């Protein structure tokens, strides 16, 4: 009987998914003033994308890499479909470590070429301007940045002031002095990662657990939990893929789709730059005990429909994971064997299904990010000068949850009329809604603002919060819902969040921003 009910529930979930708007729709391709190799949210719904010293190339003929001290960037307004230049002078942040700070600003550390890998810049959200700060102790080109509730941790990367070298301190993470980036950084000698995380110190996949504890899930097969307090420490917590000898996750994607639960997608075995080795469609769930970050479990789940590398993954407000782009060879600046068909993973049914194909290959140096209006931005790729794989453009995906069952008619969506501008863990937050289905809200998805580059995002985490009593009618078609924010700051980290009201039919509202302190 229980088995029959389970099969029936899975079948029903599958039918409901199909009825929710078919396979989605794509916009026309829109040109950009730069190739968006990295991108992040602004608090007004706009997006900031950046390239490098040049808008289409990470290098410039006649300019030595030591003199790369500029980043071309632009802000895109989806409402007016217009661009505003937002270049950064004095710092080339090509391939940086990026993360949102608890106050809503954006940290950019390292990147660039010789002379930039030590630098720090911060995008001030209140003024929409870049501010240069003091240097880090070491260089971090292709390093990963993680913001805890008390400091920023920079993990690995290449020190471009010492090209061609692999000095021992390259593997030792460093932490900021609080969030004062003009003060000296400190090393974590107890967290030395040499021979632990990867053969090439490029973008270790890192996610914040308990405050100060960070899961390093790649790119090598072995996983470690690092404690960034004091002098630091690491603890081996198991292999990501127990059925593979050595699966490196370079070019893979790991996304936190629930608190302390991550989905690892794709990867390649024993890869080094320039090697053509086939990608994999493997998918695995990494689950961390919230009370004990050293207790990590992994399990295989349904594989993707396509083997992919250099793809991007986006958490939708419906709780599903959407995967875009990638190709099936091991080369970086290459569109051969590109996968144009996206797919979506439902964690509850452990199933994948394909979506409407996009028009443009999106491989190495491409990005994808959820927008405040619940559509998905997909763009970039290339940044290799006159090469044929430069994609200085984007296209917008409208997922099935935005459509009725015919896949053509846009759903009418509820509207958030009011929500507090700020809140703290443990607060009861009142949210007033109006419009279609305002009385049929299933949950509120709280989505932390995030940045993306090289398929890496250390900020992304989503929470479903519910009003156990349902909405209360206050007249004129308006309803008030009350949700209680988790007190656990390890789960509900400080920072800016988009809040989506999601109906029983999984139709999300346009999001409103709340600053969680």
């Amino acid at each position: 009987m229980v088995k029959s009910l389970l099969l029936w529930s899975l079948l029903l979930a599958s039918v409901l998914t199909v009825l929710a708007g078919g396979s989605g729709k794509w916009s026309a391709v829109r040109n950009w003033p730069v190739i968006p190799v990295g991108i992040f949210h602004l608090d007004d719904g706009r997006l900031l994308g950046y390239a490098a010293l040049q808008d289409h190339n990470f290098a410039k003929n006649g300019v030595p890499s030591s003199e790369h001290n500029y980043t071309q960037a632009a802000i895109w307004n989806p409402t007016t479909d217009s661009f505003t230049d937002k270049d950064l002078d004095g710092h080339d942040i090509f391939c940086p470590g990026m993360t949102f700070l608890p106050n809503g600003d954006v940290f950019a550390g390292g990147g660039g070429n010789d002379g930039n890998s030590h630098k720090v810049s911060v995008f001030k959200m209140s003024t929409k301007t870049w501010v240069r700060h003091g240097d880090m102790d070491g260089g971090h080109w292709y390093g990963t940045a993680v913001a805890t509730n008390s400091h920023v941790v920079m993990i690995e990367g290449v020190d471009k002031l010492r090209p061609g070298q692999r000095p021992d301190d390259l593997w030792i993470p460093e932490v900021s002095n609080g969030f004062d980036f003009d003060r000296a950084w400190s090393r974590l000698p107890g967290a030395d990662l040499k021979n632990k995380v990867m053969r090439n110190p490029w973008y270790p996949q890192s996610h914040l657990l308990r405050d100060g504890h960070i899961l390093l899930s790649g790119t090598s097969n072995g996983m470690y939990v690092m404690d960034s307090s004091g002098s630091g420490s690491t603890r081996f917590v198991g292999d990501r893929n127990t059925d593979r000898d050595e699966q490196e996750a370079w070019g893979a994607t790991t996304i936190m789709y629930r608190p302390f639960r991550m989905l690892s997608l794709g990867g390649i075995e024993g890869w080094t730059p320039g090697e053509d080795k086939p990608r994999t469609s493997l998918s695995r769930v990494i689950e961390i005990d919230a009370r004990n970050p050293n207790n990590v479990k992994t399990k295989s789940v349904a594989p993707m429909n396509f083997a992919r590398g250099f793809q991007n993954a986006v958490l939708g407000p419906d709780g599903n994971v959407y995967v875009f782009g990638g190709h099936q060879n091991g080369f970086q600046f290459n569109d051969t064997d590109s996968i144009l068909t996206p797919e979506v993973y439902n964690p509850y049914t452990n199933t994948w299904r394909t979506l409407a194909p996009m028009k443009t290959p999106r491989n190495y140096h491409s990005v994808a990010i959820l927008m405040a209006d619940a559509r998905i931005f997909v763009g970039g790729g290339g940044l290799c000068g006159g090469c044929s794989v430069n994609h200085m453009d984007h296209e917008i995906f409208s997922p099935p949850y935005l459509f009725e069952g015919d896949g053509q008619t846009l759903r009418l969506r509820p509207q958030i009329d009011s929500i507090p501008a700020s809140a703290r863990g443990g607060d009861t937050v009142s949210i007033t809604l109006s419009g279609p289905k305002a009385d049929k809200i299933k949950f509120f998805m709280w989505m932390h603002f995030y940045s993306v580059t090289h398929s890496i995002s250390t900020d992304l985490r989503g929470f479903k919060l519910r009003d156990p009593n349902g909405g209360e009618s206050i007249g004129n078609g308006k309803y008030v819902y009350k949700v209680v924010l988790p007190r656990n700051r390890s789960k509900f980290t400080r920072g800016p969040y988009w809040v989506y009201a999601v109906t029983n039919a999984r139709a999300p509202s346009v999001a409103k921003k709340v600053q969680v302190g």
Side-chain angles (χ1 to χ4, degrees), residues 374-438:
R375 296 181 298 164
I376 298 174
F377 175 103
V378 182
L383 200 72
C384 43
C387 63
S388 62
V389 300
N390 269 356
H391 301 297
M392 195 181 291
D393 50 40
H394 79 254
E395 44 199 309
I396 302 298
F397 183 63
S398 295
Y401 53 67
L402 295 178
F403 296 93
E404 298 290 354
D406 60 8
Q408 303 294 323
T409 306
L410 283 171
R411 280 179 166 165
L412 299 176
R413 300 193 276 165
Q415 173 180 306
I416 298 178
D417 291 335
S418 66
I419 190 170
S422 61
R424 297 180 64 86
D427 286 356
T428 298
V429 175
S430 295
I431 308 171
T432 303
L433 278 81
S434 64
K437 309 296 183 182

Side-chain angles (χ1 to χ4, degrees), residues 54-167:
Q54 289 194 291
D55 55 19
H56 68 294
N57 197 354
F58 63 85
K60 186 174 182 179
N61 291 336
V63 179
S65 57
S66 60
E67 296 179 14
H68 287 203
N69 57 3
Y70 196 84
T71 304
Q72 296 203 37
I75 294 174
W76 177 60
N77 186 327
T79 303
T80 62
D81 191 24
S82 60
F83 293 92
T84 304
D85 290 342
K86 194 54 65 173
D87 296 351
L88 168 58
D89 193 8
H91 186 184
D92 179 0
I93 59 170
F94 168 61
C95 303
M98 299 203 74
T99 185
F100 268 85
L101 302 175
N103 69 353
D105 294 341
V106 182
F107 171 92
N113 286 280
D114 302 353
N116 285 278
S117 57
H118 292 65
K119 292 181 179 179
V120 170
S121 295
V122 171
F123 185 82
K124 305 294 289 184
M125 198 62 69
S126 60
T127 59
K128 306 298 186 289
T129 55
W130 292 101
V131 177
R132 281 275 293 112
H133 288 278
D135 291 350
M136 296 177 287
D137 181 60
H140 301 277
W141 186 47
Y142 283 88
T144 300
V146 179
T148 74
N149 285 320
S150 57
H151 53 236
V152 171
V153 186
M154 279 298 300
I155 306 168
E156 296 195 359
V158 177
D159 188 339
K160 291 296 289 183
L161 289 182
R162 293 176 285 184
Q165 299 182 41
R166 292 288 186 271

Side-chain angles (χ1 to χ4, degrees), residues 9-31:
S9 66
L10 291 176
L11 176 61
L12 179 60
S14 177
V15 171
L16 288 174
T17 299
V18 172
L19 290 177
S23 58
K25 287 181 174 294
W26 287 94
S27 71
V29 177
R30 173 69 163 93
N31 289 335

Side-chain angles (χ1 to χ4, degrees), residues 102 134 198 210 267 269 318 342 388 394 431 467 501:
M198 58 194 300
R210 276 174 41 190
E269 293 186 26
D318 58 348
S388 62
H394 79 254
I431 308 171
D467 183 339

